[in-house]
Amino acid sequence: MTALPIRRRRLLAASALAVAVGLAGCASSEQSSEKSPTANSASGTAKLTIGIAGDEPGLSLASGSSYVGFDIDVANYVAGKLQVPTANITWKVIDQAQRVEALTNGSVDLVVSTFSITTERQKVVDFAGPYFVAHQTLLTRRNDDTITGATTLDGKVLCSAAGTTSGDYIKSHYAGKITLREVPTWSECVRNLHDGTVDAVSTDDVLLAGFASQSKYKGVLKLTGSGLTDERYGVGIKKGDSAMVTKVNAALKEFISSGEWKKSLEKWVTPSGYKIPSPPSVG
């Protein structure tokens, strides 16, 4: 007669324990999501098309059917603060030379693609940021000791992605001294360097560090010389949309102050050996 009540009490205790564990598990999951560098807890039907690169290791690189890297984390975080869930982001890979046009013709809403803020670009598009400051330098073959910096570029063939501040700097400062070969993407430049058809690639140090650390280039290519310029990365926005600039600036400030900026860089960029700088002042 006493066995049934005891069994019931055990079943009730087990059920209560299962509910408690389940609740604890839910709380743990929510906290984990909030701490993730790519956290985007937005919900709803709002959508964004964001222009990105797809071939920049550590910054914006294709990984299966998705993209990973610091720029992707920046874009995803900003989208979340604009109440656009990750599932509603359309990632649009565009060449460096297409970034301004993509914004002006409306094919993208934002551009997050190592997009340097310059006076010339600000005439036709707006920027939020900067969210990172890089420095233009050189990538050369490891066994080439003829190039030690900018002063040893005479007679050399350099590669740059078309439509970039890096290419513009080389053309304005080394015209007649070097041959500049412009191609659509940085990955093509690096392949040309590896194959021996150009002598060096010149662009931002954080980008070149990512390429140099890839397994197929590690020990073969090296960063050379000191920074030629400061490159202030901004989020590109259609000209005149001051409300969007304000919102994105607020999101970038929070991305930095929350510690997610540093976490993302440590995850994606630090493995290349690149030393993480102090965060810039946004706005």
Side-chain angles (χ1 to χ4, degrees):
M1 294 293 291
T2 59
L4 187 58
I6 291 173
R7 188 177 294 114
R8 283 179 178 169
R9 284 198 297 271
R10 288 175 176 170
L11 288 172
L12 287 172
S15 297
L17 178 61
V19 170
V21 170
L23 290 173
C26 289
S28 174
S29 177
E30 289 172 2
Q31 291 172 359
S32 175
S33 176
E34 290 172 359
K35 292 179 180 178
S36 169
T38 57
N40 181 338
S41 58
S43 61
T45 59
K47 297 180 179 180
L48 277 175
T49 299
I50 303 179
I52 58 170
D55 64 343
E56 297 177 356
L59 298 171
S60 183
L61 188 67
S63 177
S65 59
S66 61
Y67 299 92
V68 296
F70 174 62
D71 270 359
I72 301 302
D73 285 358
V74 171
N76 192 43
Y77 191 94
V78 167
K81 295 304 174 180
L82 296 175
Q83 302 305 310
V84 178
T86 302
N88 290 1
I89 300 172
T90 298
W91 304 106
K92 187 176 179 67
V93 175
I94 52 178
D95 290 340
Q96 303 290 293
Q98 297 175 331
R99 293 174 295 186
V100 169
E101 182 182 358
L103 285 168
T104 56
N105 67 21
S107 61
V108 299
D109 301 300
L110 304 173
V111 169
V112 186
S113 179
T114 60
F115 202 11
S116 295
I117 302 170
T118 68
T119 302
E120 286 301 309
R121 286 172 176 165
Q122 286 177 309
K123 294 176 182 178
V124 287
V125 300
D126 283 334
F127 286 95
Y131 63 88
F132 190 83
V133 179
H135 310 282
Q136 184 179 354
T137 188
L138 302 168
L139 186 70
T140 62
R141 288 181 290 277
R142 184 164 292 279
N143 61 359
D144 185 351
D145 57 5
T146 65
I147 300 176
T148 57
T151 59
T152 56
L153 292 175
D154 288 9
K156 302 297 185 180
V157 180
L158 265 66
C159 189
S160 176
T164 63
T165 55
S166 302
D168 291 343
Y169 180 86
I170 295 299
K171 283 184 282 189
S172 65
H173 287 75
Y174 297 94
K177 296 180 180 179
I178 61 104
T179 298
L180 180 64
R181 182 173 300 171
E182 293 186 288
V183 297
T185 66
W186 291 116
S187 58
E188 184 174 346
C189 267
V190 176
R191 286 196 301 272
N192 290 343
L193 175 63
H194 180 262
D195 295 342
T197 57
V198 301
D199 298 307
V201 177
S202 183
T203 188
D204 308 340
D205 50 5
V206 65
L207 199 161
L208 295 179
F211 279 112
S213 67
Q214 287 189 304
S215 58
K216 57 185 172 182
Y217 301 130
K218 196 168 187 178
V220 179
L221 305 180
K222 64 179 179 179
L223 269 67
T224 302
S226 57
L228 304 176
T229 63
D230 291 340
E231 301 296 332
R232 299 161 59 244
Y233 291 170
V235 176
I237 298 167
K238 191 170 185 178
K239 189 69 177 176
D241 195 345
S242 57
M244 180 64 83
V245 172
T246 299
K247 291 177 182 177
V248 176
N249 271 333
L252 292 175
K253 288 178 181 178
E254 186 174 328
F255 186 60
I256 291 171
S257 65
S258 66
E260 305 298 352
W261 181 88
K262 184 179 180 182
K263 288 180 184 177
S264 178
L265 286 168
E266 287 176 342
K267 178 178 181 179
W268 299 113
V269 176
T270 298
S272 71
Y274 188 84
K275 184 178 179 181
I276 305 302
S278 299
S281 178
V282 176

